[in-house]
Each structure stands twice: as structure tokens, then as C-alpha cells.
Amino acid sequence: NAGVMQNPRHLVRRRGQEARLRCSPMKGHSHVYWYRQLPEEGLKFMVYLQKENIIDESGMPKERFSAEFPKEGPSILRIQQVVRGDSAAYFCASSPPPRSSYNEQFFGPGTRLTVL
Amino acid sequence: AQSVTQPDIHITVSEGASLELRCNYSYGATPYLFWYVQSPGQGLQLLLKYFSGDTLVQGIKGFEAEFKRSQSSFNLRKPSVHWSDAAEYFCAVVGSGTDKLIFGTGTRLQVFP
């Protein structure tokens, strides 16, 4: 059973370009979380999605950032008009449908975005 | 609001020495607590978790952690550190509502031979 997949693992963009980060959850998982890790910092929650629905986007910057998790295909985190401050590692985690008071999250290897 | 504090940014120990990494949390109810390890350039691996019950939790790679409600702490321990334990360690608590994890800023562990 493959784990959470993220691609690309490394992404380089120039200021003003768009970045698209993909996350394929573990088989059977219908919930996805995105976290951002700035240099020398811990991970910060960005957004929580289930298929075709955003559940919690309280950690998303108000502009330029969007996320989706379509019925078919991976979850996408999209950053428009990137700036140098967007350089970070972006981690995706997936969890199964809720069955108890907490569902463990399984993390992918991350996408390291560098903005030149 | 929930928060996690890891007071030690960087810790250095000799191989074979004991280890304790500190974690303090702020949460109104009984927290769900986690320790993750991140090797350079890698994702996060779950070491152990506490939901309820026995306050001493055993994890993988010989790690354990003790939940102390009176001190709002969940410190990670290992009796004898191996060189391969050098990594970044993150303590986390589950936030209310949607299961999102709230992470501390991490402790970087360096191990000398």
C-alpha cells in the first residue's frame, strides 16, 4: 500500500509565476491536509479538504493561494504570482473517513518550493 | 487557542547518552499529543501519540513520552541515543474542530560519536 505521494519533490519558480503542488492520498483516504514549513520553523496548518469540499481553510493566506481536492485525481495546492516569501516546504497529509474522535494523519515527503 | 512550545531549539548529546526533549502545550480539554521526527530533506514520521489512558507512552525506535497534565507537558525520552537519531523533532497537539495539527517550532538533535 503506497503512502502519501507528493510531486514534484522540488520546484523552482521565478517571482510572478504559478506553482502547482500535487498530493495523492493513501488508498482509502478521503481527507487531505496541507501544511507549510518555512525555513527554521515548524509546520503550520493551511487547509483541510475532503473530496470536492473545503472543510477548513483558516490557515490559508487570503490572496494567491487556493486548494482543491476533486472527485478524481490528486489534491492540488496552487500558488499564483509567487513571491520569495513563498519559498518553503509544503507537506500534505491524508487521513481516512472519520470513524472515531481522531483520525491519524499520514504525511507525504513534501514539496520544496524555491522562488528565485 | 491551542499552542505548543518546544523550549530547546538545538540539543547536542553524545552517542549512548540519555535524551529528554521538552514539550509544553496549551489546551483546554484533554489533548491529543504527538511526537514526530523529520530527517533532513524528508517528511514527518510519527514516533508516538497520546490520546488517553496510561500516561507513559511507548513509541518506535526506543522512544517514550510521558504526559503530565499538572505540568502541561509531554516530554520525549530515550535512554540511549544512537547516531541515527540525529534529526529534527516536533511535538504537536490536535486543534479543536477539524483534527488539524498544531506543531511546535521543533528541536534539532545533534549526536556526537
Side-chain angles (χ1 to χ4, degrees):
Chain A
N1 186 13
V4 178
M5 310 279 283
Q6 289 189 250
N7 68 81
R9 294 291 307 275
H10 299 273
L11 182 62
V12 179
R13 286 287 179 266
R14 297 191 180 279
R15 281 179 296 169
Q17 292 184 319
E18 178 179 286
R20 281 184 180 240
L21 288 63
R22 294 174 184 77
C23 170
S24 297
M26 288 179 67
K27 187 177 181 180
H29 286 190
S30 56
H31 291 65
V32 163
Y33 301 77
W34 285 94
Y35 295 84
R36 176 166 65 173
Q37 184 180 28
L38 293 169
E40 307 300 322
E41 294 188 16
L43 281 75
K44 295 282 195 324
F45 167 78
M46 299 181 76
V47 63
Y48 170 34
L49 313 99
Q50 66 178 117
K51 284 193 181 287
E52 301 183 284
N53 187 29
I54 296 175
I55 300 175
D56 182 352
E57 57 182 345
S58 58
M60 287 281 269
K62 295 291 183 243
E63 298 177 345
R64 302 187 297 108
F65 286 71
S66 62
E68 63 177 8
F69 189 15
K71 186 177 181 181
E72 301 291 336
S75 175
I76 306 284
L77 179 67
R78 182 183 177 205
I79 311 172
Q80 295 178 289
Q81 300 175 328
V82 296
V83 300
R84 289 221 173 101
D86 297 332
S87 295
Y90 292 82
F91 290 94
C92 166
S94 73
S95 68
R99 287 192 298 272
S100 63
S101 54
Y102 176 75
N103 294 280
E104 182 175 339
Q105 297 174 34
F106 295 82
F107 281 82
T111 293
R112 279 150 183 86
L113 172 66
T114 301
V115 179
L116 302 178
Chain B
Q2 299 91 353
S3 65
V4 175
T5 301
Q6 292 181 249
D8 305 306
I9 296 172
H10 188 197
I11 284 184
T12 301
V13 299
S14 299
E15 190 170 20
S18 62
L19 173 71
E20 182 168 28
L21 303 182
R22 295 184 291 166
C23 171
N24 294 97
Y25 66 89
S26 171
Y27 189 67
T30 299
Y32 293 170
L33 293 157
F34 306 82
W35 275 100
Y36 286 88
V37 60
Q38 183 183 33
S39 298
Q42 302 297 312
L44 275 73
Q45 181 180 23
L46 180 66
L47 285 175
L48 47 78
K49 59 191 176 190
Y50 171 79
F51 286 179
S52 64
D54 193 346
T55 56
L56 186 62
V57 181
Q58 301 298 320
I60 62 172
K61 303 186 179 186
F63 286 92
E64 66 178 26
E66 187 171 11
F67 170 63
K68 293 186 177 179
R69 184 188 299 277
S70 61
Q71 298 176 20
S72 297
S73 69
F74 188 56
N75 294 349
L76 182 71
R77 300 194 294 246
K78 187 169 184 178
S80 177
V81 171
H82 189 263
W83 64 266
S84 61
D85 293 325
E88 186 103 25
Y89 291 80
F90 293 97
C91 182
V93 66
V94 170
S96 60
T98 60
D99 294 349
K100 62 190 178 191
L101 288 164
I102 297 168
F103 287 87
T105 51
T107 297
R108 182 163 296 169
L109 175 66
Q110 193 170 9
V111 180
F112 280 114

